[in-house]
Amino acid sequence: MKKLFIKTYGCQMNAYDSARMADLLAPLGYAGAETPEDADMVILNTCHIREKAAEKVYSELGRIRALKDDKSRAGGRMLVAVAGCTAQAEGEEILARAPVVDMVVGPQSYHRLPEMIARIARGAGERVEADFPALEKFDVLPQAVSDTGVSAFLTVQEGCDKFCTFCVVPYTRGPEHSRAPEQILAEARALAARGARELVLLGQNVNAYRGTDAHGKGWSFARLIAAIADIDEILRIRYTTSHPRDMDDDLIAAHGDIEKLMPFLHLPVQSGSDSVLAAMNRQHSADDYRRLITRIRAARPDIAFSSDFIVGFPGESDADFEATLQLVRDVRFAQCFSFKYSARPGTPATAAKKQIAENVKSARLDVLQKLLLSQQDDANRALIGTTQNILFEKTGRGPGQVVGRTPHLNPVHVEGPASLIGRVRPVMIEALTANSLKGRLV
Ligand code: SAH
Ligand code: SF4
Ligand code: F3S
């Protein structure tokens, strides 16, 4: 057996891709390893979303280089691949900047890894694969073989046609594509058979899903969710990430109609200022977003929302930032991600004249995060004393502890047997600790 170490950065779609790369390389004799020491192959599955994320890769490559040298001094060989969004964005540049790298492979071409490994063994041929062969990879990848866990990711859609002016994703992941519903349902059943009880449907714009089946019939995202809900072993369905523009009536209705669809929605808004939203090319206003939240809450009153925010987008004034705080107060979120704007090469906002000073960005982020944290704390506290259905996912750190999640995605620790894993049980929530809830089986 050869040792394969994969390090994953970035979003859930990268986590899914890493698992698929492991599946793809297993038949070549590669087994997953926990550390890069002595590995026969190292893959860094990279993220390009913010500058810090992209730069991390080069410092990691420095460490890998020392390990690769050790290995070759001992007469062995370590192959080093850079995959993911930075691979797509920088291509050849990576080989030039980091000679330790043997191959570079973009997110839509990693199914070609076995071919690339063979080429490198021959010492000849192209070392960069970075085109967008329209979802070809899904026709070629093996059925998932890696351990799925109770909650499993399933990519149903890829790419982005929205071109928000700050974002690299349309360039790194290519245009929007939806997988065929039959292929998704087959994968969902295979995951269920391997023990998955919750499926998290993934896509850069997952609610833009528009599949076409073998009869040429179009499938909406709501229809896809309903079909997955028909798989008995699957108890819970979630999806991420959504764009407000693609929340159509059917999908909103599905939140009321499909019991297995969990009452939690990540719906990034980025800003509460109409002029910033326009400059970002989000193509909706702050009030459009408020109205959308109201409609979704009408379909599913107990739904919890999360979101992404960017502070310090070029031109953002104090009043614009205040509008973001107001939107947060109006909507009330259960949990959010917030970031300082990071100028990314090749995106339109990078060229904007009014870049915001770093100290202003930091101060705004601080204020926003305090507000978001207080809302998160309120949402958690409101659960104390209630009984929640928990889907248990794994054992906890303490002896005799199991950990699961509420329908609203809050992690809950409980004393109980490991046999609970994969099952849903009612739990009385008793206390809030640093970052999770404690409860007892009812
Ligand atoms: N497809 C998703 C988001 C993908 S990126 C969507 O449309 O919402 C995840 C988050 O990273 C974004 O929602 C945004 O908040 C943040 N992000 C993207 N580009 C960024 C940049 N240049 N600087 C700071 N944050 C950024
Ligand atoms: Fe990026 Fe916007 Fe596309 Fe989301 S919708 S991936 S933020 S361009
Ligand atoms: Fe990062 Fe690419 Fe995901 S840029 S956030 S890994 S789509």
Side-chain angles (χ1 to χ4, degrees):
M1 271 317 226
K2 288 177 271 187
K3 279 174 68 182
L4 169 66
F5 174 75
I6 305 183
K7 179 154 183 173
T8 308
Y9 303 82
C11 62
Q12 293 100 326
M13 301 200 63
N14 260 14
Y16 175 86
D17 288 343
S18 289
R20 302 318 305 275
M21 286 191 265
D23 292 340
L24 182 71
L25 296 178
L28 305 186
Y30 287 96
E34 295 292 321
T35 61
E37 280 80 23
D38 195 40
D40 298 283
M41 177 149 192
V42 170
I43 301 177
L44 302 185
N45 195 11
T46 60
C47 174
H48 207 56
I49 202 81
R50 284 167 292 274
E51 189 180 355
K52 263 200 201 127
E55 282 305 313
K56 266 188 213 155
V57 175
Y58 289 100
S59 49
E60 184 67 20
L61 283 171
R63 282 189 288 275
I64 300 291
R65 189 182 157 180
L67 298 176
K68 183 171 176 163
D69 289 347
D70 288 348
K71 179 124 189 173
S72 63
R73 267 194 297 275
R77 173 141 202 220
M78 178 188 283
L79 284 175
V80 179
V82 176
C85 288
T86 305
Q88 187 66 41
E90 297 190 353
E92 296 279 350
E93 255 176 85
I94 297 178
L95 295 178
R97 196 169 150 189
V100 62
V101 176
D102 297 292
M103 61 193 113
V104 174
V105 60
Q108 304 299 4
S109 9
Y110 64 74
H111 56 292
R112 295 185 183 153
L113 270 171
E115 212 177 299
M116 296 178 83
I117 293 172
R119 281 205 299 259
I120 282 158
R122 287 199 305 271
E126 189 51 64
R127 296 200 289 145
V128 179
E129 291 275 3
D131 50 356
F132 293 132
L135 294 205
E136 171 189 298
K137 73 174 180 217
F138 289 114
D139 300 329
V140 183
L141 288 170
Q143 277 266 342
V145 294
S146 53
D147 260 355
T148 60
V150 170
S151 177
F153 292 141
L154 202 180
T155 293
V156 303
Q157 181 277 344
E158 291 220 61
C160 181
D161 296 337
K162 305 283 192 300
F163 291 92
C164 300
T165 55
F166 52 81
C167 185
V168 295
V169 170
Y171 313 97
T172 63
R173 292 274 172 171
E176 286 180 9
H177 276 292
S178 298
R179 294 177 70 184
E182 296 93 333
Q183 202 184 52
I184 295 166
L185 290 169
E187 191 168 324
R189 285 188 209 101
L191 289 166
R194 298 188 62 83
R197 294 295 170 261
E198 171 176 280
L199 292 182
V200 185
L201 310 181
L202 299 180
Q204 268 87 24
N205 280 279
V206 72
N207 60 342
Y209 179 85
R210 295 291 174 273
T212 309
D213 66 19
H215 309 289
K217 286 242 160 50
W219 282 51
S220 69
F221 190 46
R223 181 168 174 202
L224 181 70
I225 293 171
I228 292 174
D230 283 339
I231 303 173
D232 288 339
E233 296 91 334
I234 298 301
L235 308 175
R236 292 183 168 187
I237 302 170
R238 304 178 185 278
Y239 61 90
T240 199
T241 296
S242 296
H243 195 292
R245 268 160 62 197
D246 294 316
M247 282 308 296
D248 62 19
D249 292 343
D250 280 4
L251 183 54
I252 294 174
H255 278 278
D257 299 339
I258 301 177
E259 227 177 293
K260 291 181 180 178
L261 184 55
M262 289 294 103
F264 181 93
L265 181 58
H266 183 61
L267 195 62
V269 64
Q270 317 297 356
S271 169
S273 152
D274 287 342
S275 60
V276 172
L277 287 168
M280 287 176 163
N281 189 32
R282 292 291 290 183
Q283 301 196 23
H284 62 77
S285 68
D287 278 345
D288 290 337
Y289 187 83
R290 286 183 178 89
R291 278 191 289 271
L292 183 56
I293 295 284
T294 305
R295 283 167 57 216
I296 302 168
R297 279 188 171 137
R300 180 77 205 229
D302 67 336
I303 197 164
F305 290 99
S306 79
S307 195
D308 292 343
F309 293 89
I310 295 177
V311 299
F313 185 79
E316 184 187 68
S317 66
D318 286 338
D320 291 324
F321 177 61
E322 180 49 44
T324 297
L325 297 177
Q326 192 53 48
L327 180 85
V328 173
R329 288 183 208 112
D330 292 345
V331 174
R332 305 197 61 79
F333 293 95
Q335 134 196 345
C336 285
F337 301 98
S338 46
F339 312 99
K340 290 191 265 186
Y341 168 72
S342 167
R344 306 305 294 128
T347 60
T350 302
K353 281 196 204 75
K354 285 206 221 141
Q355 298 290 331
I356 305 296
E358 206 49 38
N359 61 334
V360 176
K361 285 185 199 171
S362 300
R364 286 180 185 165
L365 187 66
D366 207 44
V367 172
L368 175 61
Q369 289 188 336
K370 283 211 174 79
L371 175 60
L372 292 171
L373 268 178
S374 76
Q375 293 193 346
Q376 182 178 333
D377 207 53
D378 292 347
N380 280 330
R381 269 174 214 292
L383 293 175
I384 297 174
T386 67
T387 299
Q388 301 284 324
N389 284 324
I390 306 300
L391 171 59
F392 289 98
E393 295 182 10
K394 55 184 183 196
T395 52
R397 249 185 249 147
Q401 243 188 9
V402 277
V403 190
R405 288 182 188 271
T406 66
H408 297 100
L409 208 57
N410 318 74
V412 178
H413 288 72
V414 170
E415 306 279 319
S419 58
L420 285 173
I421 292 169
R423 297 172 198 278
V424 176
R425 289 287 180 272
V427 166
M428 164 67 88
I429 308 296
E430 294 180 316
L432 175 63
T433 58
N435 37 30
S436 85
L437 294 157
K438 274 185 78 150
R440 103 185 118 72
L441 290 163
V442 176

